[in-house]
């Protein structure tokens, strides 16, 4: 048994698949899913050993996400964004902050979510209306509204991106024109139950990833202690980019979705006595090659930070589009059976499509990658 199978054994994959789907409230993960996620150790995969976690590498994190996604892509999406918060805390939190939050994350007591998107905000998060201003007690007061916060309805910690009421006197030391975020922003860890924080039970009515608990936050003069500021405002862009510097990627979730489509088709062909059909075999082999290529991108990381960031974006685009292509081929092989709305393939296809629009959206990834392409002609052309 390899490291991934130890963290996500077959019994856990089976249990996650059985529990998958919305719970009693539309858009919520099932209670069984959240219990499994908290009790299995999955929340602590990226937490350093010193704070009670598994201390997993980014490649291991991607492999775990892929395996979870074969059973429940919605759970994998929540785990990805949770892991991104963990990576940011590990790199930029003070020792006091790490002692406060990381052990609870490692035990499964604390599930983290990001709250960045807003009604009317751009994909690169440079235009925000949520404001943070200094309170009289030295803390901060946050006011605004957040949308499309994956996992928010079950999360315990929220990493909230804000505009500062009074921008810093000096801009960020390393301007990054092609990046998330902008100058004069700050990130705060806001705990559920903080005064002025409201997390309604309502979720976004998504067509895919319907069990991801994607909801909304309202901050009405939300009081946050000064010690909950993550890093400094000048660090914000670097904090945002930290998971991509490590190579963590939503492409791993797409790879898991594609693998589940292949597995479903193989089982269907065997049940229908078509496993030896050469045409079907060739199509399945092509699907397997596509999945293997996406998997290789999530596991083989460049040696430079710039290279890793670029590959994280590229992997997300390639794997998400590859996943949709695999799902199309799978639907073709299923024939008329796949056109039944109740068929599992339709849920898989919707989940595959949803990844295109999850952070960072594919169009933003392409924009961030645009400057890295060498447009000079090669050879004698």
């Amino acid at each position: 048994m390899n490291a991934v199978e130890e963290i996500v054994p077959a019994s856990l994959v089976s249990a996650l698949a059985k529990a998958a789907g919305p719970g009693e409230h539309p858009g919520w993960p099932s209670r069984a899913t959240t219990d499994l996620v908290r009790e299995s150790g999955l929340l602590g995969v990226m937490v350093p050993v010193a704070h009670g976690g598994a201390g997993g590498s980014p490649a291991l994190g991607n492999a775990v996400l892929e395996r979870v996604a074969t059973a429940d892509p919605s759970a994998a999406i929540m785990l990805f964004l949770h892991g991104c918060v963990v990576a940011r805390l590990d790199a930029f939190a003070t020792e006091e902050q790490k002692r406060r939050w990381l052990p609870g994350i490692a035990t499964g007591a604390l599930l983290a979510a990001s709250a960045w998107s807003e009604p009317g905000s751009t994909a690169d998060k440079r235009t925000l209306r949520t404001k943070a201003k200094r309170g009289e007690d030295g803390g901060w007061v946050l006011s605004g509204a957040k949308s499309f916060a994956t996992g928010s309805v079950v999360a315990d910690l929220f990493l909230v991106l804000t505009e500062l009421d009074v921008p810093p006197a000096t801009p960020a030391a390393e301007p990054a024109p092609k990046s998330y975020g902008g100058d004069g922003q700050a990130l705060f860890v806001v705990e559920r139950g903080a005064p002025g924080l409201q997390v309604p039970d309502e979720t976004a009515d998504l067509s895919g990833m319907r069990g991801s608990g994607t909801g909304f936050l309202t901050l009405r003069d939300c009081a946050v202690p000064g010690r909950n500021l993550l890093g400094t405002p000048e660090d914000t862009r670097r904090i945002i980019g930290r998971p991509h510097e490590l190579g963590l990627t939503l492409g791993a979730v797409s790879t898991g979705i594609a693998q589940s489509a292949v597995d479903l088709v193989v089982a269907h062909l065997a049940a229908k006595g078509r496993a030896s059909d050469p045409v079907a075999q060739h199509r399945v082999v092509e699907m397997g090659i596509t999945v293997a290529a996406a998997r290789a991108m999530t596991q083989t990381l460049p040696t430079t930070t710039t290279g890793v960031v670029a590959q994280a974006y590229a992997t997300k685009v390639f794997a998400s589009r590859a996943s949709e292509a695999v799902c199309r081929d799978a639907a073709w092989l299923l024939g008329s059976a796949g056109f039944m709305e109740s068929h599992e393939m339709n849920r898989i296809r919707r989940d595959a499509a949803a990844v295109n629009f999850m952070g960072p959206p594919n169009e933003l990834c392409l924009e961030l990658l645009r400057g890295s392409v060498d447009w000079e002609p090669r050879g004698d052309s």
Side-chain angles (χ1 to χ4, degrees), residues 77 209 250 254 257 316-325 328 349-366:
I77 285 286
M209 299 296 180
L250 267 178
S254 291
I257 295 172
K316 200 267 182 173
V317 173
F318 175 80
S320 60
R321 292 187 174 174
S323 179
E324 288 194 278
R328 284 195 297 271
R349 292 181 72 176
R350 287 192 292 266
D351 286 350
V355 180
N356 282 283
F357 305 100
M358 293 184 154
N362 279 9
E363 287 305 312
L364 177 57
C365 288
L366 293 170

Side-chain angles (χ1 to χ4, degrees), residues 5-380:
E5 291 171 340
E6 289 181 0
I7 295 171
V8 195
S11 58
L12 179 56
V13 173
S14 177
L16 285 168
K18 183 178 179 180
E24 295 180 7
H25 304 288
W28 282 58
S30 70
R31 176 62 182 271
T33 296
T34 55
D35 287 347
L36 286 166
V37 166
R38 289 181 183 276
E39 296 167 4
S40 62
L42 290 174
L43 297 183
V45 170
M46 297 291 293
V47 175
V49 173
H51 293 286
S57 67
L60 178 62
N62 284 339
V64 166
L65 288 169
E66 179 190 333
R67 190 161 168 86
V68 171
T70 63
D72 186 351
S74 290
I77 285 286
M78 289 193 297
L79 282 172
F80 169 75
L81 292 165
H82 167 89
C84 288
V85 174
V86 172
R88 292 172 177 121
L89 290 175
D90 183 39
F92 290 93
T94 65
E95 288 304 312
E96 185 273 334
Q97 288 174 328
K98 291 178 182 180
R99 289 193 299 270
R100 226 177 342 136
W101 294 314
L102 290 182
I105 290 173
T107 64
L110 298 178
L111 171 63
S114 293
W116 296 3
S117 296
E118 303 178 356
S121 69
T122 55
D124 59 11
K125 307 302 183 288
R126 296 192 184 208
T127 55
L128 300 175
R129 295 180 180 176
T130 300
K131 301 295 183 182
K133 63 180 181 180
R134 277 287 190 182
E136 295 179 359
D137 60 355
W140 294 85
V141 178
L142 278 52
S143 298
K146 296 294 183 178
S147 58
F148 293 100
T150 301
S152 64
V153 295
V154 293
D156 308 287
L157 299 175
F158 302 93
L159 188 57
V160 179
L161 182 63
T162 71
E163 293 278 353
L164 292 174
D165 188 50
V166 179
T170 57
E174 300 178 9
K178 291 186 179 299
S179 68
Y180 266 139
D183 291 335
Q185 296 180 341
L187 284 158
F188 296 88
V189 178
V190 181
E191 298 162 343
R192 182 179 284 272
L197 173 66
Q198 296 179 0
V199 187
D201 291 342
E202 179 186 3
T203 57
D205 189 15
L206 305 178
S207 62
M209 299 296 180
R210 290 187 59 78
S212 62
T214 299
F216 310 90
L217 275 71
T218 301
L219 303 114
R220 290 195 172 97
D221 294 330
C222 179
V224 178
R227 62 180 186 161
N228 283 30
L229 173 67
L230 184 60
T232 68
E234 290 77 15
D235 290 330
T236 299
R237 278 201 182 113
R238 294 176 53 218
I239 298 172
I240 289 172
R242 181 58 178 167
H244 308 119
E245 290 179 355
L246 295 174
L248 291 174
T249 173
L250 267 178
V253 176
S254 291
T255 304
I257 295 172
Q259 183 63 60
S260 69
V262 174
D263 294 342
L264 187 153
V265 164
V266 169
H268 172 83
L269 294 174
K272 296 297 183 181
R274 296 176 56 201
S276 59
D277 177 357
V279 174
Q281 286 182 338
H282 290 175
R283 188 65 66 90
V284 170
V285 169
E286 287 183 327
M287 293 162 65
I289 291 171
T290 301
V291 174
R295 180 177 298 123
M297 290 185 73
T298 70
Q299 294 297 303
T300 306
L301 303 178
T303 57
T304 65
T305 297
T306 301
V308 174
V309 171
Q311 181 153 319
Y313 294 142
T315 299
K316 200 267 182 173
V317 173
F318 175 80
S320 60
R321 292 187 174 174
S323 179
E324 288 194 278
V326 167
C327 286
R328 284 195 297 271
D329 284 348
W332 182 85
L333 287 168
L334 288 170
S336 59
F339 283 94
M340 299 297 292
E341 177 59 28
S342 60
H343 199 286
E344 178 68 3
M345 191 65 238
N346 290 301
R347 193 271 303 165
I348 294 174
R349 292 181 72 176
R350 287 192 292 266
D351 286 350
V355 180
N356 282 283
F357 305 100
M358 293 184 154
N362 279 9
E363 287 305 312
L364 177 57
C365 288
L366 293 170
E367 175 62 23
L368 296 172
L369 286 167
R370 184 163 57 91
S372 65
V373 175
D374 182 2
W375 296 101
E376 291 298 321
R378 296 178 182 273
D380 297 328

